[in-house]
Amino acid sequence: MVADKPADSAKEAIDKLDVLNSTRTVVKNALEKLGYPDEVFELLKEPIRMMTVRMPVRMDDGSIKVFTGYRAQHNDAVGPTKGGVRFHPDVTEKEVKALSIWMSLKAGIMDLPYGGGKGGIICDPREMSFRELEGISRGYVRAISQIVGPNKDIPAPDVFTNSQIMAWMMDEYSRIDEFNNPGFITGKPIVLGGSHGRETATAKGVTICIDEAARKKGIDVKGARVVVQGFGNAGSFLAKFLHDAGAKVVGISDAYGGLHDSEGLDIDYLLDRRDSFGTVTKLFNNTISNQDLLELDCDILVPAAVENQIREENAHKIKASIVVEAANGPTTLDATRILSERGILLVPDVLASAGGVTVSYFEWVQNNQGYYWEEEEIQEKLKKIMVKAFNNIYNTAETRRVDMRLAAYMVGVRKMAEAARFRGWV
Ligand code: GLU
């Protein structure tokens, strides 16, 4: 996924928003609705473990650069913690903590035997060579090796990390452990124990949510006008799947701007021209801003880029009747309220983007059993889990009269709170 570069005023507004605080607010509301006492919130408002590491890497020019990274483990009452590692210049400790809580919620929603974890390294992989990236990947694994492992905490790809980086990390961990240990990490290349369907899993999960949401709203995906913000792993595959399903993708964007055509964009051409970081709009002159893109006339809007894109200032200008969050945290709490009051069906991130961790779970199961499944089996299993999770949350929202985000948090937090109680922690 690509880092967004919003205009200065929008950037200032975004910087003021605190994703950790807003996540905690919804966790607190969800626990209250479920009738859990305050001490459960006290336990779940922070990761149980947070490690800060410093990694020296020899750069191509011979100098040594020391990078800072984090690994947060939110809660392991249900099982080992699980979640991606992002490489990005804007990584912060707070963001990694919030992301680890979201991973716990995703695992709860998809009923996976995990708690949430997340990692991040402050670096810009767009400006680093292959060799430097290998150095930082191996250095990170050495630094966190004591707290991770196939039954402790299982990393995976996230923003600007991919199967090659997972391969280096797996190799480094296997060296430390002195045996081949594919279950330590997911999102690996197929030849190293990766799973079919992992690369496209997040986008596949989003398409399943779009199908379900469209059914509820009486919209036919075939012919529907869709806008996708972000052309990274999730956004690009998603645009392709929707285009192939007969939807009209009328807008896409990357970090540098957006493209719009009310007749539908040539997605295959754009995919062909995109670079490995999901950049394509630099090749065009007639671009629009990412903020304008969100307000385009369309039926389905998919923010698949970065956090805090739909805020109080622009939520009333959104024209879509369905918003499906493929990115983590693209909509603020104020904006969630506004969209819900306006009758827009919002499919929250912790549900819509959970396809990735679900297929990661399949990968880990296959590694543990040493027996590998065909692509069709993966897709069938993913669809079954995703449809069930969507309907569970939709029905919770209806019966408890809450918005879809709060419903998702209620579903996501329940198993973890129950497990912590059974263990006698709270
Ligand atoms: N980084 C992805 C996420 O945020 C996937 C995590 C995983 O596969 O464990 O959901």
Side-chain angles (χ1 to χ4, degrees):
M1 236 165 282
V2 165
D4 212 348
K5 297 224 171 64
D8 282 353
S9 59
K11 173 108 178 61
E12 259 168 46
I14 290 169
D15 287 346
K16 281 199 198 108
L17 297 160
D18 180 335
V19 281
L20 182 57
N21 254 342
S22 53
T23 306
R24 281 183 183 149
T25 305
V26 193
V27 169
K28 193 169 181 23
N29 292 344
L31 289 166
E32 271 168 20
K33 282 263 171 211
L34 293 169
Y36 280 101
D38 242 18
E39 56 253 35
V40 181
F41 173 68
E42 278 305 308
L43 174 68
L44 300 182
K45 71 178 190 190
E46 279 275 329
I48 50 163
R49 197 170 293 113
M50 176 74 183
M51 194 168 183
T52 302
V53 293
R54 306 257 295 143
M55 293 145 297
V57 175
R58 186 168 298 279
M59 307 303 279
D60 288 348
D61 64 5
S63 67
I64 298 278
K65 206 165 163 185
V66 184
F67 294 89
T68 301
Y70 306 99
R71 185 73 193 171
Q73 299 175 344
H74 175 238
N75 191 279
D76 58 1
V78 173
T81 48
K82 172 103 193 78
V85 183
R86 59 176 57 183
F87 285 6
H88 199 279
D90 298 339
V91 163
T92 64
E93 194 178 328
K94 259 191 176 174
E95 184 199 45
V96 174
K97 283 184 178 180
L99 287 160
S100 75
I101 302 179
W102 292 338
M103 287 312 302
S104 283
L105 296 166
K106 290 187 202 186
I109 287 166
M110 304 304 271
D111 202 9
L112 312 177
Y114 294 135
K118 199 78 172 201
I121 301 177
I122 306 168
C123 66
D124 194 342
R126 290 165 293 193
E127 282 162 14
M128 293 171 74
S129 73
F130 229 57
R131 205 197 57 81
E132 292 167 345
L133 284 172
E134 178 174 351
I136 203 168
S137 305
R138 290 187 185 276
Y140 182 67
V141 170
R142 284 195 299 276
I144 62 166
S145 66
Q146 285 173 349
I147 63 160
V148 290
N151 294 309
K152 282 193 204 169
D153 181 15
I154 307 130
D158 199 78
V159 176
F160 287 165
T161 51
N162 55 22
S163 58
Q164 174 61 77
I165 289 172
M166 299 305 110
W168 288 322
M169 290 188 174
M170 192 277 261
D171 184 64
E172 190 66 24
Y173 188 78
S174 297
R175 287 186 196 186
I176 294 168
D177 234 20
E178 296 181 347
F179 67 94
N180 200 33
N181 208 333
F184 152 69
I185 202 163
T186 58
K188 302 177 290 293
I190 303 271
V191 288
L192 292 182
S195 176
H196 289 292
R198 177 60 188 87
E199 209 188 349
T200 55
T202 306
K204 270 276 178 308
V206 179
T207 35
I208 298 166
C209 284
I210 290 177
D211 284 344
E212 293 304 300
R215 212 187 324 273
K216 301 285 184 210
K217 279 278 184 187
I219 293 174
D220 193 351
V221 172
K222 198 162 180 225
R225 294 160 311 150
V226 187
V227 169
V228 182
Q229 184 198 33
F231 217 48
N233 172 276
S236 62
F237 281 122
L238 178 68
K240 171 77 180 148
F241 293 151
L242 290 169
H243 177 71
D244 291 350
K248 218 192 254 184
V249 182
V250 296
I252 64 109
S253 72
D254 60 24
Y256 304 93
L259 299 172
H260 171 227
D261 184 345
S262 53
E263 291 310 308
L265 294 160
D266 185 346
I267 296 300
D268 289 320
Y269 175 77
L270 296 173
L271 286 172
D272 198 44
R273 306 301 302 272
R274 121 190 220 285
D275 72 14
S276 61
F277 292 107
T279 307
V280 69
T281 63
K282 271 183 175 168
L283 304 169
F284 299 84
N285 292 324
N286 52 342
T287 55
I288 59 172
S289 74
N290 257 295
Q291 291 300 304
D292 289 343
L293 180 101
L294 297 171
E295 295 164 21
L296 287 176
D297 208 2
C298 65
D299 303 301
I300 302 166
L301 171 64
V302 187
V306 286
E307 289 143 21
N308 296 326
Q309 296 299 293
I310 306 178
R311 302 180 301 279
E312 196 171 11
E313 314 86 88
N314 61 354
H316 58 278
K317 295 187 199 148
I318 302 293
K319 300 193 182 65
S321 48
I322 298 173
V323 174
V324 182
E325 298 181 330
N328 288 310
T331 313
T332 65
L333 293 190
D334 287 329
T336 301
R337 180 182 37 79
I338 296 168
L339 297 183
S340 154
E341 281 166 7
R342 291 184 56 212
I344 295 172
L345 177 54
L346 174 83
V347 184
D349 48 7
V350 284
L351 165 63
S353 71
V357 66
T358 305
V359 178
S360 272
Y361 164 58
F362 299 157
E363 180 173 332
W364 179 76
V365 169
Q366 293 170 86
N367 294 151
N368 290 345
Q369 69 186 6
Y371 175 70
Y372 289 82
W373 304 330
E374 305 268 328
E375 166 104 32
E376 297 83 76
E377 199 168 344
I378 303 277
Q379 299 305 350
E380 211 177 283
K381 286 184 159 74
L382 173 63
K383 184 158 184 190
K384 199 168 157 198
I385 296 182
M386 202 87 207
V387 169
K388 191 172 160 198
F390 180 96
N391 285 295
N392 191 4
I393 289 170
Y394 189 85
N395 294 337
T396 303
E398 296 266 286
T399 53
R400 302 295 298 265
R401 294 175 188 281
V402 294
D403 64 50
M404 286 283 282
R405 189 178 314 283
L406 182 51
Y409 274 54
M410 286 165 71
V411 171
V413 89
R414 186 183 282 137
K415 196 166 136 189
M416 193 165 45
E418 238 174 80
R421 297 213 89 170
F422 272 121
R423 283 178 184 266
W425 291 356
V426 279

